[in-house]
Amino acid sequence: MTEFRGQPAYLQLADDLRERIRSGKLATGAALPSAQELIASSGASSTVVKNAVSLLRAEGYVVGHQGKGVFAQFPPRLADHSRGAADWALPLLLAGLEVEAALRQSLGKNGTGSADGEAALEHWREAFDSLPASVKDRLARP
């Protein structure tokens, strides 16, 4: 890594790769650059690259296939045999949207919304708005 950003180099590289996966620059199923390409592009050592990829594997952002490479996956999955975040999070988010709509309708009818209720709805909306576009796209699909 050519610049110091106040954290270990492997975390900087992992942050960069994670953001590329989240943003879709590295699409789900796409191979990550090889270790040699990552070393060349980042100026990092092989140990830094291995640690960054290991961290992303533990977080579920990448999956390795012996002899084939390491591949991006988003939403992340914790293990090949586990249920991914989308398996439980999407129904939860859809339910949250339904609750939000019902509460907004109820508050609008009565006009007696409490400040706490309005603040909770606003907090929910901010959290929902901060979701990655790929998650919002999944919510929009029937």
mmCIF file of all heavy atoms in Angstrom, residues 6 11 14 20-21 31-32 38 48 70-71 85 87 90 93 97 112 116 119 129:
data_model
loop_
_atom_site.group_PDB
_atom_site.id
_atom_site.type_symbol
_atom_site.label_atom_id
_atom_site.label_comp_id
_atom_site.label_asym_id
_atom_site.label_seq_id
_atom_site.Cartn_x
_atom_site.Cartn_y
_atom_site.Cartn_z
ATOM 1 N N GLY A 6 -3.750 5.094 8.514
ATOM 2 C CA GLY A 6 -4.023 4.887 9.926
ATOM 3 C C GLY A 6 -4.508 3.509 10.295
ATOM 4 O O GLY A 6 -4.991 3.305 11.395
ATOM 5 N N LEU A 11 -6.078 -4.409 6.148
ATOM 6 C CA LEU A 11 -7.421 -3.848 6.326
ATOM 7 C C LEU A 11 -7.746 -2.855 5.214
ATOM 8 O O LEU A 11 -8.879 -2.789 4.737
ATOM 9 C CB LEU A 11 -7.556 -3.171 7.688
ATOM 10 C CG LEU A 11 -7.560 -4.090 8.906
ATOM 11 C CD1 LEU A 11 -7.645 -3.279 10.193
ATOM 12 C CD2 LEU A 11 -8.699 -5.094 8.830
ATOM 13 N N ALA A 14 -8.496 -4.981 2.186
ATOM 14 C CA ALA A 14 -9.805 -5.618 2.370
ATOM 15 C C ALA A 14 -10.928 -4.599 2.195
ATOM 16 O O ALA A 14 -11.940 -4.900 1.556
ATOM 17 C CB ALA A 14 -9.886 -6.281 3.746
ATOM 18 N N ARG A 20 -15.450 -2.643 -3.645
ATOM 19 C CA ARG A 20 -15.617 -3.018 -5.054
ATOM 20 C C ARG A 20 -16.693 -4.086 -5.213
ATOM 21 O O ARG A 20 -17.450 -4.084 -6.189
ATOM 22 C CB ARG A 20 -14.281 -3.486 -5.640
ATOM 23 C CG ARG A 20 -13.311 -2.317 -5.820
ATOM 24 C CD ARG A 20 -11.881 -2.715 -6.061
ATOM 25 N NE ARG A 20 -11.686 -3.537 -7.236
ATOM 26 C CZ ARG A 20 -10.529 -4.095 -7.551
ATOM 27 N NH1 ARG A 20 -9.463 -3.900 -6.781
ATOM 28 N NH2 ARG A 20 -10.420 -4.840 -8.626
ATOM 29 N N ILE A 21 -16.788 -4.989 -4.247
ATOM 30 C CA ILE A 21 -17.819 -6.028 -4.288
ATOM 31 C C ILE A 21 -19.188 -5.409 -4.004
ATOM 32 O O ILE A 21 -20.160 -5.653 -4.721
ATOM 33 C CB ILE A 21 -17.498 -7.159 -3.285
ATOM 34 C CG1 ILE A 21 -16.239 -7.911 -3.734
ATOM 35 C CG2 ILE A 21 -18.682 -8.110 -3.137
ATOM 36 C CD1 ILE A 21 -15.664 -8.840 -2.682
ATOM 37 N N ALA A 31 -14.344 -13.369 -10.546
ATOM 38 C CA ALA A 31 -13.089 -13.715 -9.891
ATOM 39 C C ALA A 31 -12.387 -12.462 -9.404
ATOM 40 O O ALA A 31 -12.357 -11.444 -10.103
ATOM 41 C CB ALA A 31 -12.191 -14.470 -10.855
ATOM 42 N N LEU A 32 -11.844 -12.533 -8.212
ATOM 43 C CA LEU A 32 -10.982 -11.452 -7.727
ATOM 44 C C LEU A 32 -9.696 -11.497 -8.530
ATOM 45 O O LEU A 32 -9.329 -12.541 -9.068
ATOM 46 C CB LEU A 32 -10.640 -11.664 -6.248
ATOM 47 C CG LEU A 32 -11.511 -10.946 -5.220
ATOM 48 C CD1 LEU A 32 -12.931 -11.405 -5.280
ATOM 49 C CD2 LEU A 32 -10.936 -11.116 -3.843
ATOM 50 N N LEU A 38 -2.938 -8.455 -7.335
ATOM 51 C CA LEU A 38 -3.188 -7.600 -6.175
ATOM 52 C C LEU A 38 -1.878 -7.061 -5.603
ATOM 53 O O LEU A 38 -1.806 -5.896 -5.200
ATOM 54 C CB LEU A 38 -3.980 -8.347 -5.104
ATOM 55 C CG LEU A 38 -5.437 -8.635 -5.439
ATOM 56 C CD1 LEU A 38 -6.058 -9.565 -4.411
ATOM 57 C CD2 LEU A 38 -6.224 -7.345 -5.559
ATOM 58 N N VAL A 48 0.114 -9.548 3.169
ATOM 59 C CA VAL A 48 -0.977 -8.574 3.251
ATOM 60 C C VAL A 48 -2.147 -9.036 2.392
ATOM 61 O O VAL A 48 -3.308 -9.011 2.828
ATOM 62 C CB VAL A 48 -0.487 -7.171 2.827
ATOM 63 C CG1 VAL A 48 -1.650 -6.231 2.575
ATOM 64 C CG2 VAL A 48 0.442 -6.600 3.886
ATOM 65 N N VAL A 70 -10.664 -17.191 -6.327
ATOM 66 C CA VAL A 70 -11.500 -16.618 -5.278
ATOM 67 C C VAL A 70 -12.525 -15.735 -5.971
ATOM 68 O O VAL A 70 -12.184 -14.924 -6.833
ATOM 69 C CB VAL A 70 -10.650 -15.811 -4.269
ATOM 70 C CG1 VAL A 70 -11.519 -15.180 -3.204
ATOM 71 C CG2 VAL A 70 -9.590 -16.699 -3.636
ATOM 72 N N PHE A 71 -13.796 -15.866 -5.566
ATOM 73 C CA PHE A 71 -14.885 -15.213 -6.271
ATOM 74 C C PHE A 71 -15.714 -14.351 -5.321
ATOM 75 O O PHE A 71 -15.946 -14.720 -4.173
ATOM 76 C CB PHE A 71 -15.771 -16.266 -6.937
ATOM 77 C CG PHE A 71 -15.010 -17.115 -7.912
ATOM 78 C CD1 PHE A 71 -14.361 -18.265 -7.481
ATOM 79 C CD2 PHE A 71 -14.907 -16.750 -9.238
ATOM 80 C CE1 PHE A 71 -13.635 -19.044 -8.364
ATOM 81 C CE2 PHE A 71 -14.179 -17.515 -10.137
ATOM 82 C CZ PHE A 71 -13.538 -18.658 -9.699
ATOM 83 N N ALA A 85 -27.206 -13.728 4.212
ATOM 84 C CA ALA A 85 -27.913 -12.606 4.819
ATOM 85 C C ALA A 85 -29.220 -12.322 4.092
ATOM 86 O O ALA A 85 -30.232 -12.019 4.713
ATOM 87 C CB ALA A 85 -27.025 -11.369 4.818
ATOM 88 N N ASP A 87 -31.221 -14.334 2.763
ATOM 89 C CA ASP A 87 -32.253 -15.318 3.069
ATOM 90 C C ASP A 87 -33.118 -14.895 4.243
ATOM 91 O O ASP A 87 -34.285 -15.232 4.302
ATOM 92 C CB ASP A 87 -31.624 -16.680 3.374
ATOM 93 C CG ASP A 87 -30.936 -17.280 2.161
ATOM 94 O OD1 ASP A 87 -31.264 -16.883 1.031
ATOM 95 O OD2 ASP A 87 -30.062 -18.141 2.359
ATOM 96 N N LEU A 90 -33.938 -10.027 3.709
ATOM 97 C CA LEU A 90 -34.903 -9.471 2.764
ATOM 98 C C LEU A 90 -36.336 -9.566 3.276
ATOM 99 O O LEU A 90 -37.067 -8.570 3.221
ATOM 100 C CB LEU A 90 -34.744 -10.116 1.388
ATOM 101 C CG LEU A 90 -33.435 -9.753 0.685
ATOM 102 C CD1 LEU A 90 -33.312 -10.508 -0.637
ATOM 103 C CD2 LEU A 90 -33.326 -8.259 0.449
ATOM 104 N N LEU A 93 -36.682 -6.898 5.922
ATOM 105 C CA LEU A 93 -36.759 -5.549 5.356
ATOM 106 C C LEU A 93 -38.118 -5.299 4.700
ATOM 107 O O LEU A 93 -38.684 -4.207 4.832
ATOM 108 C CB LEU A 93 -35.634 -5.331 4.346
ATOM 109 C CG LEU A 93 -34.244 -5.241 4.950
ATOM 110 C CD1 LEU A 93 -33.180 -5.292 3.865
ATOM 111 C CD2 LEU A 93 -34.100 -3.976 5.777
ATOM 112 N N LEU A 97 -40.833 -2.396 5.680
ATOM 113 C CA LEU A 97 -41.482 -1.448 4.769
ATOM 114 C C LEU A 97 -42.994 -1.446 4.954
ATOM 115 O O LEU A 97 -43.634 -0.387 4.900
ATOM 116 C CB LEU A 97 -41.123 -1.796 3.317
ATOM 117 C CG LEU A 97 -39.684 -1.518 2.905
ATOM 118 C CD1 LEU A 97 -39.419 -2.075 1.510
ATOM 119 C CD2 LEU A 97 -39.391 -0.026 2.955
ATOM 120 N N THR A 112 -52.013 12.694 15.035
ATOM 121 C CA THR A 112 -51.563 12.787 16.427
ATOM 122 C C THR A 112 -50.272 12.012 16.647
ATOM 123 O O THR A 112 -50.067 11.425 17.698
ATOM 124 C CB THR A 112 -52.635 12.238 17.382
ATOM 125 O OG1 THR A 112 -52.886 10.872 17.037
ATOM 126 C CG2 THR A 112 -53.900 13.041 17.317
ATOM 127 N N ASP A 116 -41.723 10.792 19.309
ATOM 128 C CA ASP A 116 -40.952 9.546 19.345
ATOM 129 C C ASP A 116 -41.293 8.661 18.145
ATOM 130 O O ASP A 116 -40.415 8.052 17.547
ATOM 131 C CB ASP A 116 -41.224 8.772 20.633
ATOM 132 C CG ASP A 116 -40.596 9.434 21.857
ATOM 133 O OD1 ASP A 116 -39.704 10.285 21.693
ATOM 134 O OD2 ASP A 116 -41.019 9.086 22.982
ATOM 135 N N ALA A 119 -39.761 10.157 15.064
ATOM 136 C CA ALA A 119 -38.311 9.973 15.081
ATOM 137 C C ALA A 119 -37.947 8.528 14.743
ATOM 138 O O ALA A 119 -36.985 8.284 14.010
ATOM 139 C CB ALA A 119 -37.745 10.357 16.446
ATOM 140 N N ASP A 129 -32.581 3.760 3.625
ATOM 141 C CA ASP A 129 -31.965 4.499 2.521
ATOM 142 C C ASP A 129 -30.469 4.232 2.397
ATOM 143 O O ASP A 129 -29.898 4.373 1.318
ATOM 144 C CB ASP A 129 -32.207 6.006 2.674
ATOM 145 C CG ASP A 129 -33.654 6.389 2.405
ATOM 146 O OD1 ASP A 129 -34.405 5.568 1.822
ATOM 147 O OD2 ASP A 129 -34.045 7.513 2.794
#
